[in-house]
Amino acid sequence: MCGIFGYLGRRNAVKTAIDGLKKLEYRGYDSAGIAGVFQGQIIGCKEVGKVEGLEREVQELDFQLESAIAHTRWATHGKPSQINAHPHYDNARSLALVHNGIIENHLALKKELVSQGARFVSETDTEVISHLIASLYKGDLLFAVRKAIGMLKGAFAFALIHKDFPDQIVVVGHESPLVIGVGEQEMFVSSDPVAFSEFTHNVVFELLQPINRCLNGNDEVAVVHRDTFEVFDAAGQRSEKKIEKLTAKFGTASKGAYEHYTLKEIFEQPQTIRSAYVDRLSEEFGTAHFEEVQTEMPELLDVERILILGCGTSWHAGYLGAYLFEDMARIPTQLEISSEYRYKNPLVPHRTLVIAISQSGETADTIAAVRELKAKGTNVHGSTLSRIADACINMRAGPEIGVCSTKAFTSQVVILSLLCLAMARMRNMHKEDGKRFITAIEDLSAQVEQILETAPHIEKIANKYAHHENFFFVGRRYMYPVSLEGALKLKEISYINANGYPAGELKHGAIALINENCPTVALCSNKGTYEKILSNIMEIKARNGPVIAIAESGQKGLEGIVDDIIWIPEVIDELAGIPATVATQLLAYYIARKRGTDIDKPRNLAKSVTVE
Ligand code: M6R
């Protein structure tokens, strides 16, 4: 994982690199570091924690560099510490290197390098690359780098500066993203163009797609100078690269009047939900369409099975999608966690539509799962994994800065609902039913608005329960995925142990954990199973478990039984996951706030998980 930034040019290299790193913190924030050449020497500075810590340190030291490489880390090999922070050096400090990815054969390489005399100081896999290149370097840096990458296994991107070439940054992107930004007498290197987009929109990457912003897939090496760059292939031959114009808009994110990005993003949902469906509904025909996908294409009509892939919150959205596709479109749908699916040697019958869901489009597990399917010759449709997918439906939710995913989830569910509507209408769904479903979708924004208005009530409930260390979230049918998502939100931002559970499954074991110190959030909105969840609530109450119900106005039988109720508007079962999730987001947010955690950047996490 991690974010890489490099700068060569007329600006203050340290400041430019630190500013760039701040925009890459979504990729990890365990430690940060910077290095480069100053008066012929490689010097560096590293700090544990967020980039602002590094910024303070370089300001205090009045740290200067002529050119800089910098890094923000999400720890994989070795705990977050100053010694494990990047950049990493060779023993002679002739080079500094920053890396994103994992070197899978680092132990074997380390053994060999140690036997040759290399002294390792960190626990990282990255340090192997520094020592390896140094050991292969005999005056021809390009040769040493090319030779080294032939010996490395795994997915990796790295940037290095060598003291013999103070005006160069050498970069490699092997199945990990790395982009070059071409400015006016200045050059940038970054894991993501967002980090330099305020300075230049001229970029070099293979495709203008969010997922494969990799410089190359063929072990190319780029040498970046102050005003130009060269790319060499594995044989050392120069390869031509097109400079392309960045078309994506990169707004400057701001919290506005909100205390946290997470809260702002929760409150943005009436708009983001609307953006997800606007222009995509055909009221007249009771169906949906996407400018990005030809929903009328014959392949969609021929689809006999659906496979949904995702991780974390995106997997939870996929869970709701899977229920929808089976219920409404009557298409057998399989849901898989990307990181598990990849190693399954799965059976993928002919005419399977694969939907890979991702907020970032950079999740390594999901990319790997889709690549595996591609390798099997599957026809992949949909997803934000744009390069490898055949089509990509945009969420139109704007940047999500909070590490905990909120508005992305509700947008994903809206989009899955639209796709499901389109496919159901192609099959057996009546136009009038399609129209009714459209009305329900169009009502969602206002319904979410109503829930947001109850935030002070939810905050009061949150304050009452914030001291508990264990929670259950339970639901049935459409509320089961919501229970998983609600529990994940609480775990992620408040560090409370929370379990999402099918309400009917509690009695098969987990009910042993219920007592007066373990509250349960009971998600009651699935009307088809309301009577059943009421019984499950009684079972919890009989064991002294406090219960907070999230229920639809009009649902009877809860008052006097449960301890607290969060009322939400009545919504059809198929879409009830959206408002119910918003209520759980607010509950998790206010509990975390009461506990004083770092809500926007919770410990141990990163926004984009770009390692497997
Ligand atoms: O970018 P993606 O949607 O592919 O990310 C998948 C998960 O890493 C992500 O949803 C994660 O679970 C969230 N931080 C949860 O809030």
Side-chain angles (χ1 to χ4, degrees):
M1 227 138 89
C2 314
I4 293 176
F5 192 85
Y7 180 74
L8 273 170
R10 56 202 160 78
R11 293 172 211 276
N12 177 324
V14 173
K15 183 176 181 325
T16 310
I18 298 279
D19 289 347
L21 272 195
K22 285 184 186 163
K23 297 187 179 134
L24 296 175
E25 270 193 310
Y26 72 88
R27 307 176 70 90
Y29 40 81
D30 288 337
S31 63
I34 184 167
V37 179
F38 187 68
Q39 298 179 342
Q41 301 300 314
I42 294 276
I43 56 168
C45 181
K46 308 175 184 191
E47 280 299 309
V48 178
K50 300 192 184 111
V51 175
E52 59 193 33
L54 178 69
E55 184 176 37
R56 273 194 302 275
E57 186 65 13
V58 295
Q59 279 166 358
E60 269 171 34
L61 296 172
D62 193 21
F63 190 73
Q64 303 289 328
L65 292 173
E66 288 147 18
S67 49
I69 52 171
H71 189 268
T72 179
R73 179 171 186 244
W74 185 78
T76 59
H77 295 60
K79 58 182 180 296
S81 67
Q82 202 173 33
I83 211 79
N84 288 333
H86 299 216
H88 288 283
Y89 312 101
D90 61 321
N91 293 139
R93 267 229 182 187
S94 56
L95 64 86
L97 180 140
V98 290
H99 162 227
N100 168 35
I102 291 180
I103 306 301
E104 288 167 3
N105 57 338
H106 71 107
L107 286 177
L109 289 171
K110 182 173 176 177
K111 202 168 163 198
E112 178 61 27
L113 288 160
V114 168
S115 75
Q116 292 169 18
R119 278 172 290 108
F120 279 73
V121 293
S122 77
E123 304 158 284
T124 65
D125 53 335
T126 304
E127 200 183 343
V128 152
I129 320 176
S130 307
H131 290 293
L132 182 62
I133 294 173
S135 77
L136 296 167
Y137 176 67
K138 306 280 179 276
D140 184 343
L141 185 58
L142 190 59
F143 172 82
V145 172
R146 277 187 13 241
K147 187 106 195 242
I149 59 180
M151 298 165 73
L152 300 174
K153 285 202 185 120
F156 50 85
F158 63 79
L160 81 92
I161 290 191
H162 196 287
K163 74 176 171 48
D164 293 351
F165 304 93
D167 281 340
Q168 290 182 8
I169 299 177
V170 178
V171 295
V172 170
H174 176 93
E175 292 185 23
S176 278
L178 204 62
V179 193
I180 297 173
V182 182
E184 290 277 325
Q185 296 170 338
E186 61 182 349
M187 301 289 286
F188 304 83
V189 170
S190 178
S191 303
D192 185 331
V194 70
F196 58 68
S197 62
E198 66 180 290
F199 302 119
T200 181
H201 279 193
N202 296 324
V203 293
V204 183
F205 40 35
E206 235 176 30
L207 286 174
L208 278 171
Q209 304 287 8
I211 191 55
N212 247 314
R213 293 182 280 202
C214 304
L215 191 64
N216 55 67
N218 306 312
D219 293 342
E220 290 171 326
V221 179
V223 180
V224 178
H225 307 271
R226 280 181 184 270
D227 50 6
T228 185
F229 68 94
E230 305 160 278
V231 178
F232 300 91
D233 66 17
Q237 300 301 311
R238 212 178 276 255
S239 48
E240 287 309 311
K241 287 279 159 185
K242 250 195 7 230
I243 298 180
E244 299 175 67
K245 274 267 178 251
L246 214 51
T247 51
K249 290 195 178 56
F250 300 96
T252 38
S254 132
K255 280 189 280 202
Y258 291 93
E259 196 178 336
H260 295 100
Y261 280 107
T262 304
L263 188 63
K264 176 175 175 254
E265 287 156 7
I266 292 172
F267 273 82
E268 274 172 10
Q269 289 176 108
Q271 293 87 52
T272 51
I273 287 170
R274 199 172 299 116
S275 304
Y277 69 71
V278 84
D279 301 336
R280 286 171 167 167
L281 294 172
S282 162
E283 317 241 354
E284 187 186 351
F285 297 104
T287 188
H289 51 80
F290 299 93
E291 66 272 32
E292 303 95 331
V293 185
Q294 287 178 295
T295 20
E296 72 277 11
M297 63 188 181
E299 290 105 305
L300 277 193
L301 198 54
D302 288 346
V303 165
E304 287 175 3
R305 298 184 65 81
I306 294 177
L307 166 63
I308 300 183
L309 297 168
C311 302
T313 289
S314 295
W315 178 68
H316 297 156
Y319 220 132
L320 284 175
Y323 285 179
L324 278 168
F325 281 111
E326 291 207 343
D327 268 2
M328 280 174 50
R330 306 301 294 148
I331 303 172
T333 305
Q334 179 186 352
L335 173 79
E336 295 278 354
I337 292 179
S338 309
S339 57
E340 282 299 307
Y341 186 75
R342 187 193 172 184
Y343 295 101
K344 264 187 154 178
N345 189 20
L347 293 169
V348 189
H350 195 49
R351 296 185 174 158
T352 298
L353 167 70
V354 180
I355 303 174
I357 306 174
S358 175
Q359 176 272 325
S360 63
E362 296 206 20
T363 299
D365 289 323
T366 304
I367 295 165
V370 174
R371 283 205 173 117
E372 174 65 17
L373 284 161
K374 275 292 210 189
K376 282 182 176 287
T378 312
N379 197 18
V380 182
H381 291 281
S383 96
T384 57
L385 306 169
S386 312
R387 181 181 171 219
I388 39 184
D390 297 316
C392 165
I393 299 174
N394 292 315
M395 297 195 306
R396 301 174 175 170
E400 195 180 61
I401 309 292
V403 164
C404 136
S405 194
T406 51
K407 61 178 179 171
F409 175 86
T410 45
S411 295
Q412 287 166 345
V413 177
V414 170
I415 288 165
L416 287 165
S417 309
L418 300 190
L419 187 58
C420 177
L421 170 66
M423 294 184 71
R425 285 283 294 120
M426 281 176 183
R427 289 166 175 76
N428 51 0
M429 190 188 223
H430 194 281
K431 185 163 81 179
E432 294 311 313
D433 291 333
K435 285 183 177 179
R436 274 191 287 277
F437 192 67
I438 286 181
T439 307
I441 288 176
E442 288 171 334
D443 286 345
L444 284 169
S445 287
Q447 287 160 336
V448 167
E449 196 92 60
Q450 282 178 45
I451 297 167
L452 297 174
E453 281 164 17
T454 68
H457 169 65
I458 298 179
E459 184 175 7
K460 263 192 209 140
I461 297 177
N463 290 344
K464 178 172 162 191
Y465 292 92
H467 63 285
H468 288 285
E469 293 303 330
N470 297 290
F471 270 74
F472 272 105
F473 283 69
V474 297
R476 300 182 82 123
R477 285 292 291 154
Y478 285 94
M479 289 302 113
Y480 168 52
V482 175
S483 77
L484 296 175
E485 178 59 7
L488 179 62
K489 293 302 86 136
L490 192 63
K491 284 187 260 223
E492 205 176 3
I493 61 174
S494 69
Y495 316 148
I496 289 172
N497 174 35
N499 272 304
Y501 235 77
E505 181 66 12
L506 264 193
K507 59 184 177 291
H508 295 290
I511 202 163
L513 296 169
I514 295 288
N515 62 23
E516 61 283 5
N517 295 318
C518 178
T520 298
V521 178
L523 295 142
C524 304
S525 305
N526 195 76
K527 285 167 282 298
T529 53
Y530 182 59
E531 302 302 326
K532 301 287 170 203
I533 200 165
L534 273 185
S535 305
N536 302 137
I537 289 172
M538 297 309 286
E539 290 153 14
I540 296 166
K541 287 308 304 169
R543 283 144 187 97
N544 296 327
V547 174
I548 306 159
I550 298 182
E552 292 189 349
S553 33
Q555 284 184 321
K556 301 215 169 6
L558 288 164
E559 274 152 320
I561 304 286
V562 301
D563 299 79
D564 288 282
I565 308 183
I566 297 170
W567 292 112
I568 59 175
E570 194 185 334
V571 180
I572 58 170
D573 280 358
E574 292 83 347
L575 295 175
I578 291 178
T581 299
V582 174
T584 65
Q585 291 168 353
L586 284 171
L587 185 67
Y589 172 81
Y590 287 117
I591 290 179
R593 189 167 173 274
K594 178 78 178 163
R595 290 168 72 102
T597 57
D598 190 346
I599 296 180
D600 284 338
K601 287 184 183 152
R603 69 185 183 204
N604 302 342
L605 298 180
K607 183 74 183 155
S608 289
V609 186
T610 59
V611 289
E612 277 187 66

